[in-house]
Amino acid sequence: MPTPALTRPVLLALCACVLVAQSMVAAINLLIPQLAASDLHLTDTQLLWAVDAYVIVFAGLLIPAGALGDRLGRKGALLSGLGLFAAGAATSALATVPAVLITGRGLSGAGAALIMPATMSILVKLAGPQGMAQALATWTLALGLGGLAGNVGGGLVGQFLSWRALFWVMVPLAALLALAVARTIPRTPVHSAAALDPAGSLLLTSALVAVVYGIIEGPSYGWTSAQVLSAFAGAAALLALFVAHALRAERPLFDPRVFASRRLRAGALGTAAGFFGLFSLFYVNAQYLQYAKGYSVGVTGIAIVPLTVGMALVPKLGARWQRRFGPRPLVGGGLGLIALGLLLVSTADAGTAYGLYALYLLVLSAGMGLSAPSLTVSVVAELPAHQAGLGSGLNTAAREIGAALGVAVVGTVLAARFSGAPQSPDRIGEFTSAMGVGLRTVAVLLIVATVAVVIGYRGSGRGRTVTADGPGRGRELPDAAGGVAYVAGDARNVQRITGEDA
């Protein structure tokens, strides 16, 4: 049966789902003061979990959720994700105790984990090899607009409404999106060869949850605390168990040998590095605009808009340039612009004109828009076509881990140099100075990561065939067509990743 074409209604419906799921990452941050003063009487730890439960569950379930969509149907996974997302939002809105709010946030995160890989894998399947770069550029645009919607929406809710209103709005919105998906999105072929691997899924999910938990809790408990070190040690042990299991299993969740691909490693690292820089800015941006510039919550949400302009306008241009120049200059240039934007923002203080600050945000957002589509294609296109959901989950997991690391690093540096809220001009100066040190630290780390990513793309212009004829017997073969092919198990079972299933 021929694959349906990617029509405009399908593209809009998929991108709207991405936008809504992504918006909930940012929106909650602007409501922290309201939540802290609410009748739920959240402790500092409960407040942290109310914010982070969404991200922890989201990141932890991404890879198994992507594999589930590949095996049982991507449209069904998307509809299920929207249902879970709405159920979690309703639970949060009805919460009368902190545990219910945290549970609702976790449910919504599980829904988002189904939504994101399903949307990307449907796009990849319907767009085909020729339209993949442009389709993923549009997907990247939806991510940027999701951040904008979350900041503006969260700011307006914090300014004029109760925090519960944010969650109530999500319920009918998810229902409308589910209706649009049911009416417009075609069903893509289900692949019985895609592995669910319950044991591998449990091991990998637990490892990812432990990693993200350790990163998020590091600034609060201290990086050498028993809680954080135990989380990282547990993550390492679980990841080792997953690798050992996957190398022995007949049908693993995914074969760890795919990381033998230098391009996949570079794409995953680059994705994590880009969002490492972006979310470090997200962490301090709202505080700077409210503390140093004196903006209200609502105005702060709107003042962040320039950060999304580059992500809205540049990806389409980057997709065209990739066909001409290849991914390496776009990825290196884009990540370099993100680092430059962070260095520029690090110079801002209370006297910096907003127009100049907005220009700094534009530089950073242009870097994200330039690099993100090429990085996404690098990860997704390195897996077989029937594992598009798994590739999407891997890409988004790298993004979420990078985002959590960005918040953790800049938050740790900021906490070491400044505590409390600046209530006087002298304290505002202390805050902007500490913010500058934090952002410069992130920029230096990002530059180091960029060098590694660019080296990883060296010589990746021609495609290759990766084979795994059994445990420990993987090898690469040249692919004269310039595409990428992957052979799993039986060397005759060839899948061309950049085209249709073999």
Side-chain angles (χ1 to χ4, degrees):
M1 183 178 68
T3 301
L6 179 62
T7 63
R8 184 174 294 274
V10 170
L11 185 62
L12 290 175
L14 292 172
C15 288
C17 293
V18 172
L19 187 152
V20 171
Q22 182 67 18
S23 70
M24 288 300 284
V25 177
I28 194 71
N29 292 306
L30 292 174
L31 298 178
I32 289 175
Q34 263 202 27
L35 285 169
S38 71
D39 57 359
L40 295 180
H41 306 295
L42 294 127
T43 66
D44 289 343
T45 300
Q46 289 168 338
L47 183 61
L48 181 67
W49 275 101
V51 173
D52 292 337
Y54 184 91
V55 176
I56 290 175
V57 176
F58 181 24
L61 292 178
L62 274 165
I63 294 176
L68 186 68
D70 288 336
R71 175 67 180 272
L72 301 180
R74 292 147 187 163
K75 181 175 181 178
L78 179 52
L79 289 170
S80 299
L82 289 168
L84 269 179
F85 183 87
T91 301
S92 298
L94 292 168
T96 56
V97 294
V100 175
L101 174 64
I102 294 168
T103 300
R105 291 281 292 160
L107 278 175
S108 289
L114 285 165
I115 290 170
M116 299 297 272
T119 54
M120 184 189 288
S121 57
I122 291 171
L123 274 179
V124 168
K125 189 66 178 176
L126 299 185
Q130 299 303 317
M132 182 191 296
Q134 287 289 348
L136 291 179
T138 305
W139 193 89
T140 303
L141 165 61
L143 279 181
L145 292 179
L148 168 63
N151 280 297
V152 173
L156 292 176
V157 168
Q159 187 78 26
F160 300 110
L161 300 170
S162 162
W163 60 270
R164 296 181 190 272
L166 175 68
F167 298 111
W168 279 127
V169 167
M170 294 296 151
V171 177
L173 186 55
L176 287 174
L177 288 175
L179 179 62
V181 167
R183 292 176 62 90
T184 63
I185 308 297
R187 292 193 178 275
T188 55
V190 174
H191 294 275
S192 59
L196 293 181
D197 187 13
S201 296
L202 179 62
L203 288 169
L204 185 59
T205 296
S206 300
L208 287 174
V209 167
V211 166
V212 177
Y213 171 82
I215 292 170
I216 289 174
E217 297 287 9
S220 300
Y221 289 104
W223 293 103
T224 58
S225 66
Q227 294 96 323
V228 173
L229 291 179
S230 296
F232 288 141
L238 289 165
L239 190 59
L241 287 172
F242 168 77
V243 171
H245 164 80
L247 291 175
R248 292 195 309 267
E250 183 178 351
R251 296 175 62 190
L253 179 67
F254 74 91
D255 190 335
R257 286 183 292 259
V258 298
F259 284 101
S261 164
R262 187 168 61 183
R263 181 164 173 162
L264 185 143
R265 293 198 306 270
L269 175 61
T271 298
F275 280 84
F276 172 72
L278 179 65
F279 272 74
S280 68
L281 177 63
F282 277 166
Y283 183 80
V284 297
N285 192 48
Q287 296 179 69
Y288 168 78
L289 291 172
Q290 291 180 71
Y291 293 152
K293 303 302 292 182
Y295 295 167
S296 67
V297 176
V299 173
T300 295
I302 296 172
I304 296 172
V305 169
L307 193 55
T308 64
V309 172
M311 286 186 272
L313 300 180
V314 177
K316 293 284 188 180
L317 185 62
R320 289 198 294 270
W321 285 350
Q322 181 179 338
R323 290 195 294 269
R324 177 178 296 182
F325 304 111
R328 193 181 184 198
L330 300 182
V331 168
L335 293 177
L337 282 176
I338 297 171
L340 175 61
L342 290 172
L343 291 173
L344 291 172
V345 173
S346 74
T347 66
D349 56 24
T352 301
Y354 172 73
L356 185 59
Y357 186 77
L359 181 62
Y360 299 162
L361 299 184
L362 283 172
V363 171
L364 191 149
S365 70
M368 284 298 302
L370 190 64
S371 60
S374 294
L375 289 167
T376 301
V377 170
S378 297
V379 175
V380 174
E382 288 294 300
L383 290 173
H386 72 270
Q387 288 186 318
L390 179 61
S392 171
L394 179 62
N395 175 75
T396 311
R399 177 169 57 83
E400 293 303 318
I401 290 172
L405 271 172
V407 171
V409 170
V410 78
T412 299
V413 174
L414 189 63
R417 294 175 168 268
F418 182 85
S419 62
Q423 303 294 340
S424 65
D426 290 341
R427 292 285 286 162
I428 291 174
E430 292 176 25
F431 169 78
T432 56
S433 175
M435 179 186 82
V437 173
L439 292 178
R440 285 191 289 275
T441 301
V442 171
V444 170
L445 293 173
L446 178 55
I447 290 169
V448 173
T450 300
V451 172
V453 171
V454 171
I455 291 173
Y457 273 95
R458 185 176 55 193
S460 65
R462 290 183 62 80
R464 60 200 175 283
T465 299
V466 182
T467 74
D469 301 325
R473 296 199 297 272
R475 66 180 185 272
E476 293 188 0
L477 300 174
D479 179 4
V484 181
Y486 178 85
V487 183
D490 185 339
R492 293 168 297 177
N493 176 25
V494 179
Q495 303 285 351
R496 174 163 300 283
I497 296 170
T498 53
E500 298 300 322
D501 296 5

